[in-house]
Amino acid sequence: MSKYKNKDGVSLNYTGNDSHKVLVREVVKEAIRILNSHAMSDSQSKSWAIDRGIHFLETNFDIGDDE
């Protein structure tokens, strides 16, 4: 999969070890862990993981319903 680029062709670069980049990577890793924490054969578990993952990302990146 290729990196996402906005309409201006700009993509994110989060290599490096400054505190902001490290924290963003930690938040994204936790979101991935949440999204992967479901029972493969249980659709209710998948739905819970997706809902929790979305809420986690919205909360940690200050993304509200009004944006």
Side-chain angles (χ1 to χ4, degrees):
M1 177 179 284
S2 60
K3 288 181 98 174
Y4 173 82
K5 292 182 181 181
N6 70 5
K7 61 182 169 64
D8 298 321
V10 179
S11 64
L12 295 173
N13 179 358
Y14 275 90
T15 59
N17 290 319
D18 71 67
S19 60
H20 174 79
K21 290 178 180 181
V22 170
L23 180 58
V24 170
R25 286 195 306 261
E26 288 175 5
V27 169
V28 172
K29 285 177 186 178
E30 179 62 12
I32 292 168
R33 188 196 66 75
I34 291 168
L35 291 167
N36 282 325
S37 67
H38 65 276
M40 294 298 277
S41 60
D42 184 351
S43 62
Q44 186 174 4
S45 177
K46 288 178 188 177
S47 179
W48 174 86
I50 291 168
D51 288 343
R52 185 160 181 251
I54 289 169
H55 181 70
F56 178 83
L57 288 169
E58 288 175 339
T59 299
N60 282 280
F61 286 99
D62 298 315
I63 300 170
D65 291 334
D66 58 338
E67 295 181 38

